[in-house]
């Protein structure tokens, strides 16, 4: 139980929260929501003891174990699985102690380490760490890679896995889905639904909040108010409260006007003086209910394309990928990080790389047949690393083709938002400066009028972007794309920095856009509102998916090796009459048929056998009588245990690889 009593919180000179009185019960899963700057992250810092209350008390259970996601990951040589395993510090220390004891042939220390691991249920820790990595999208072959080999986004995932590995009574997650693909988000939802402790999560993904949370904590104008239910329930309750508040305010104002009118008319008359005095007292006692102040609704728009041909772009029998070692300066220029710009309006058919052998070519997608026509709205599904961004960059023309043709209409005009677009904005420049770089001959007033529609009014258009929040930078990046009046929008995770209001505004703007859209996003609310068809990118293929996002989630849960398949989501069971769909161009039995079922059964049997043998050796090592008979037998069993663990880890890695291949 967490209690706030007359709690106030200040960050610098700014008072974020005041007069907070509430109690959070153990086992609740709370979504912490509110506009940017209302104090959500500061509240987490206070719960972790990193920020002191300005006034009042914050009471946590004395022995509460708190886990949270680290903001940075050091460049470590440690294997990824060891980094995740270290989240359970006690188990990790016991495993290290056991390894050291074996190395020193200190059999008494070995016995103590065994007892400690048994107390901590630590013998399956490596398997749990592997399952976390697998669920968050790490292929089995990457589990042993050093942490330093991973990029920034994947290191964030490692931090998430490490936090989930940490034994905790209170789990604090600040935007945990930002660097996850949709598959990993769906997996995390299932994991959190089984988490036994208290969860506080900050998220701008309303579908994620609806599926995970039981309560909602809303921070607004220095106040914190607790609501029962998920985000949708919170919206309904808050709307009703605001409606009732406005009704009460209007009723009170009418009464005030009536009382004041009586007082003004009769206060000077002796015969009515007593009644006037009574009404003056009544007027003074009125509660003073505030009028509802409508929050300014954010509205943005993408201008209508100048030209909108019917057939915009098509890939025919394309192999797509990268040149790992550039063959020329042109090759280098082709692999930019998606700066804020329009892609080339067209690219010649057969815009191919030089012959293989002249460079190191990494083919990601094979035999892609994909086209866009006016009005198409396509959502790309699939795990990170499967090739969604590769497909988008190939459509843009940023990646040269490895095989096949890219046919583009001469009037094609692409607006491209890449995952690193926000970082590519120019430090020290204003929003006006960025527009002037694009259209140097346009008048400043045209820039101001346009930016005002994107919520950069007045002098905000001239402020340096250095002071902008992540959400404001993302909004500016989208505005720069809109300025060019594209007829195709290729959006690769456009919502990572956007709050809920901006996501709603973006969804409305995209719904009104006349051109074609291809979107990669883990935000199901946005992609579900905007996209009408879905394509799955996995296993080197791009295939139409015959179903909606709910059916895709059901299909993911039904795959072999999915933890969700072992524990169905509470309160929202799948309809038994509706089978999970498969990609439209693939027969339902094909994914499972790629792996010999006997091979899969053999791998599962091997893991089970090794687990049984390891448990028997572990039990033997835990017997005190073993050490009374001398150290020779203990040493032999210890070596057997080490060998069995190594064999089990290899067998589990192989089994995970088979599961992944069967799901591809």
């Amino acid at each position: 139980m967490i209690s706030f009593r007359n709690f106030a919180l200040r960050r610098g000179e700014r008072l974020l929260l005041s007069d907070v009185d509430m109690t959070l019960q153990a086992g609740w899963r709370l979504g912490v929501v509110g506009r940017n700057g209302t104090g959500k992250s500061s509240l987490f810092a206070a719960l972790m003891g990193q920020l002191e209350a300005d006034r009042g008390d914050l009471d946590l259970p004395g022995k509460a174990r708190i886990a949270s996601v680290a903001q940075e990951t050091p460049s470590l040589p440690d294997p990824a699985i060891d980094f995740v395993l270290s989240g359970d510090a006690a188990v990790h220390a016991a495993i290290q102690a056991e390894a050291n004891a074996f190395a020193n042939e200190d059999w008494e220390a070995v016995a103590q380490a065994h007892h400690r691991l048994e107390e901590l249920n630590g013998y399956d820790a490596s398997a749990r760490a592997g399952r976390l990595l697998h669920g968050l999208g790490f292929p089995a072959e990457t589990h042993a890679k050093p942490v330093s080999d991973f990029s920034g986004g994947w290191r964030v995932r490692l931090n998430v896995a490490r936090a989930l590995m940490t034994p905790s009574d209170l789990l604090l997650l600040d935007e945990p889905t930002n660097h996850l693909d949709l598959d990993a988000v769906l997996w995390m939802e299932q994991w959190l639904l089984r988490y036994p402790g208290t969860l506080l999560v900050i998220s701008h993904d309303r579908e994620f909040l609806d599926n995970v949370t039981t309560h909602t904590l809303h921070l607004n104008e220095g106040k914190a108010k607790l609501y029962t239910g998920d985000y949708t329930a919170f919206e309904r309750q808050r709307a009703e409260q605001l409606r009732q508040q406005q009704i009460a305010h209007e009723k009170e104002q009418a009464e005030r006007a009536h009382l004041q009118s009586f007082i003004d008319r009769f206060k000077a008359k002796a015969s009515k003086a007593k009644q006037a005095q009574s009404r003056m007292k009544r007027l003074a006692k009125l509660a003073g209910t505030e009028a509802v102040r409508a929050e300014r609704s954010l509205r943005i728009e993408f201008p209508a394309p100048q030209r909108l041909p019917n057939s915009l772009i098509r890939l025919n029998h394309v192999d797509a990928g990268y040149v790992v070692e550039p063959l020329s300066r042109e090759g280098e220029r082709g692999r930019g990080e998606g700066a804020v710009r329009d892609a080339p309006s067209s690219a010649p058919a057969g815009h191919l790389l030089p012959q293989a052998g002249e460079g190191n070519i990494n083919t990601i997608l094979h035999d892609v047949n994909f086209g866009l026509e006016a009005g198409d709205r396509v959502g790309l599904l699939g795990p990170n690393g499967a090739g969604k961004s590769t497909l988008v960059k190939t459509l843009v023309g940023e990646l040269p083709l490895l095989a096949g043709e890219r046919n583009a209409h001469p009037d094609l005009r692409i607006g491209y938002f890449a995952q690193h677009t926000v970082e590519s904005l120019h430090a020290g420049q204003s929003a006006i400066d960025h527009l002037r770089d694009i259209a140097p001959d346009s008048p400043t007033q045209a820039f101001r009028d346009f930016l005002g529609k994107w919520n950069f009014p007045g002098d905000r258009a001239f402020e340096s972007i250095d002071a902008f929040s992540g959400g404001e930078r993302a909004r500016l990046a989208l505005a720069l794309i809109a300025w060019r009046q594209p007829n195709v929008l290729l959006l690769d995770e456009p919502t990572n920095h956007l709050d809920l209001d901006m996501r709603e505004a973006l969804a409305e703007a995209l719904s009104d856009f006349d051109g074609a859209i291809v979107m990669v996003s883990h935000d199901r609310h946005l992609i579900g509102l905007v996209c009408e068809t879905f394509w799955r990118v996995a296993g080197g293929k791009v295939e139409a998916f015959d179903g909606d996002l709910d059916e895709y989630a059901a299909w993911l849960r039904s795959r072999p090796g999915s933890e969700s398949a072992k524990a169905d989501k509470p309160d929202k069971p799948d309809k038994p009459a509706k089978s999970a769909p498969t990609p439209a161009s693939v027969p339902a039995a094909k994914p499972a048929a790629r792996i010999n079922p006997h091979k899969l059964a053999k791998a599962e049997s091997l893991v089970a056998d090794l687990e049984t043998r390891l448990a028997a050796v572990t039990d033997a090592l835990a017997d005190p009588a073993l050490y009374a008979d001398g150290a020779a037998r203990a040493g032999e069993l210890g070596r057997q245990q080490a060998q069995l663990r190594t064999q089990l880890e290899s067998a589990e890695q192989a089994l995970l690889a088979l599961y992944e291949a069967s799901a591809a």
Side-chain angles (χ1 to χ4, degrees):
M1 188 171 69
I2 304 170
S3 297
F4 297 84
R5 294 194 302 274
N6 196 30
F7 178 80
L9 190 63
R10 187 181 297 273
R11 201 85 185 218
E13 296 184 356
R14 185 181 175 199
L15 186 63
L16 298 173
L17 296 170
S18 63
D19 301 323
V20 177
D21 287 285
M22 64 182 178
T23 299
L24 311 180
Q25 298 294 337
W28 283 2
R29 297 192 299 272
L30 284 94
V32 183
V33 302
R35 289 194 166 183
N36 290 339
T38 53
K40 300 185 295 294
S41 296
S42 297
L43 179 64
F44 275 23
L47 287 166
M48 290 187 288
Q50 299 171 356
L51 196 62
E52 291 188 2
D54 186 62
R55 186 182 65 250
D57 298 307
L58 167 56
D59 292 335
L60 285 163
K63 296 183 180 180
R65 299 169 299 172
I66 302 176
S68 63
V69 178
Q71 297 300 307
E72 296 182 359
T73 310
S75 182
L76 299 172
D78 305 31
I81 195 165
D82 286 353
F83 176 76
V84 173
L85 185 59
S86 67
D88 193 335
V91 167
H92 190 252
I95 291 174
Q96 293 295 321
E98 182 192 48
N100 294 336
F102 271 121
N104 298 326
E105 296 188 351
D106 184 347
W107 308 119
E108 184 177 348
V110 168
Q112 291 174 352
H114 284 314
H115 284 300
R116 181 61 175 154
L117 283 169
E118 282 190 349
E119 290 174 356
L120 298 169
N121 295 319
Y123 284 112
D124 68 339
S126 293
R128 285 189 284 120
R131 286 195 294 270
L132 287 172
L133 286 171
H134 179 67
L136 290 171
F138 291 85
E141 63 271 14
T142 67
H143 293 188
K145 284 179 58 178
V147 172
S148 56
D149 284 4
F150 291 95
S151 64
W154 286 98
R155 289 192 194 181
V156 172
R157 291 192 187 212
L158 287 175
N159 283 341
V160 172
R162 195 170 188 264
L164 300 185
M165 187 72 189
T166 304
S168 61
D169 306 300
L170 173 61
L171 180 58
L172 306 176
L173 298 178
D174 191 346
E175 293 291 355
T177 65
N178 262 4
H179 292 273
L180 303 184
D181 54 56
L182 182 56
D183 295 32
V185 171
L186 292 166
W187 175 88
M188 177 178 277
E189 286 180 0
Q190 300 301 310
W191 193 96
L192 292 175
L193 288 171
R194 295 190 294 274
Y195 175 65
T198 304
L199 169 69
L200 270 71
V201 57
I202 299 170
S203 178
H204 292 131
D205 185 336
R206 62 182 299 147
E207 292 284 337
F208 177 77
L209 291 172
D210 277 348
N211 291 335
V212 169
T213 59
T214 60
H215 295 74
T216 300
L217 181 61
H218 181 226
L219 308 187
N220 182 52
E221 296 183 347
K223 305 298 181 184
K225 186 159 186 177
L226 191 62
Y227 294 81
T228 300
D230 57 24
Y231 185 81
T232 299
F234 149 72
E235 281 194 319
R236 285 197 298 265
Q237 293 174 62
R238 177 164 165 76
E240 178 59 22
Q241 289 174 358
L242 293 175
R243 189 181 74 86
Q244 294 295 338
Q245 179 182 330
Q246 185 63 24
I247 290 172
H249 170 75
E250 292 172 357
K251 182 178 179 181
E252 183 179 296
Q253 291 303 107
E255 185 176 0
R256 280 180 178 277
H258 178 72
L259 291 171
Q260 190 64 52
S261 175
F262 186 92
I263 293 167
D264 291 342
R265 281 188 295 148
F266 299 115
K267 64 181 179 181
K269 291 189 177 182
S271 61
K272 298 286 187 179
K274 198 168 187 179
Q275 294 180 41
Q277 287 291 329
S278 174
R279 282 162 173 73
M280 290 175 68
K281 291 178 182 179
R282 167 64 181 159
L283 184 61
K285 290 181 179 179
L286 286 177
T289 305
E290 291 186 14
V292 173
R293 288 178 287 179
E295 296 181 347
R296 180 180 177 182
S297 59
L298 182 61
R299 180 166 178 80
I300 59 177
E301 65 178 23
F302 288 89
Q306 292 180 347
R307 294 181 180 84
L308 187 59
N310 186 46
S311 181
L312 293 160
I313 186 171
R314 174 159 290 280
L315 303 179
N316 295 317
H317 302 292
V318 164
D319 286 356
Y322 299 84
V323 181
V324 179
E325 297 175 4
L327 302 178
S328 67
R329 292 187 179 275
E330 288 187 33
E332 271 186 322
R333 286 196 300 270
R335 294 192 320 281
E337 289 294 339
V340 183
R341 59 170 177 76
D342 281 333
S345 61
S346 64
H351 174 46
L352 302 178
L353 289 171
Q355 291 294 320
E358 297 180 24
N360 189 1
I361 296 173
N362 182 17
T363 304
I364 307 295
L365 301 173
H366 303 271
D367 196 27
V368 177
N369 293 284
F370 183 91
L372 285 177
E373 297 185 353
D376 282 352
R377 281 156 164 65
V378 179
L380 298 183
L381 307 175
N384 271 11
K388 299 189 298 294
S389 295
T390 300
L391 175 59
V392 171
K393 290 179 181 179
T394 303
L395 287 167
V396 169
E398 184 174 295
L399 291 179
L401 309 184
L402 307 183
E405 294 181 334
R406 174 184 182 272
N407 297 318
H409 193 280
D411 292 328
L412 175 69
R413 193 166 180 79
I414 293 176
Y416 174 37
F417 188 102
Q419 290 190 32
H420 304 291
T421 289
V422 173
E423 286 77 7
S424 71
L425 294 172
H426 305 303
Q429 290 192 1
S430 67
I432 290 277
D433 293 332
H434 280 82
L435 280 177
R436 191 169 285 118
D437 288 343
I438 299 171
D441 297 330
S442 297
T444 299
Q445 189 58 47
F447 295 151
R448 297 189 66 172
D449 293 343
F450 177 80
L451 289 170
K453 296 177 181 177
W454 283 80
N455 205 32
F456 295 105
D459 293 339
R460 288 287 284 164
F462 295 94
E463 293 180 11
S464 168
I465 68 164
D466 294 354
F468 282 13
S469 67
E472 289 171 326
R473 289 171 182 244
R475 189 173 356 120
L476 175 59
L478 289 166
L480 297 178
I481 291 172
W483 173 269
R484 299 178 176 90
Q485 296 181 262
N487 48 30
V488 173
L489 291 175
L490 302 178
L491 307 176
D492 193 352
E493 295 291 358
T495 64
N496 277 351
H497 300 276
L498 304 181
D499 60 20
L500 281 160
D501 291 341
M502 182 57 192
R503 293 185 188 204
E504 291 288 348
L506 179 60
E508 291 181 11
L510 293 176
S511 297
D512 294 337
F513 179 64
D514 293 330
I517 298 171
V518 175
M519 183 187 298
V520 179
S521 178
H522 63 264
D523 188 325
R524 279 157 295 169
H525 181 68
L526 175 67
I527 203 171
L529 285 176
V530 173
C531 297
E532 298 171 353
T533 59
F534 298 96
W535 286 65
R536 180 172 175 266
V537 182
K541 298 293 184 182
V542 180
E543 301 167 323
F545 184 82
D546 185 17
D548 59 20
L549 291 177
D550 289 336
E551 291 167 327
Y552 181 68
W555 177 78
L556 284 176
R557 292 197 297 270
S558 70
R559 295 183 305 169
S562 168
E563 289 192 21
S564 310
K566 303 172 187 175
D568 289 334
K569 184 175 179 179
D571 301 328
K572 292 185 180 180
D574 296 329
K575 297 179 181 179
K578 192 172 187 178
S579 60
T582 57
S585 58
V586 184
K590 188 170 182 178
R594 293 175 181 169
I595 297 298
N596 188 323
H598 298 294
K599 187 175 181 180
L600 191 61
K602 186 176 179 180
E604 291 173 336
S605 176
L606 176 60
V607 169
D609 178 59
L610 289 170
E611 287 177 339
T612 301
R613 291 166 58 191
L614 180 59
V617 172
T618 301
D619 290 343
L621 284 168
D623 185 359
L626 174 68
Y627 304 94
D629 296 337
R633 178 61 178 159
E636 181 183 346
L637 287 174
R639 285 186 288 274
Q640 288 182 23
Q641 185 190 49
Q643 292 173 357
L644 286 169
R645 281 186 178 164
T646 301
Q647 293 171 12
L648 179 59
E649 286 184 8
S650 298
E652 287 176 334
Q653 298 270 354
L655 182 59
L656 283 174
L658 286 174
Y659 282 151
E660 289 178 350
S662 67

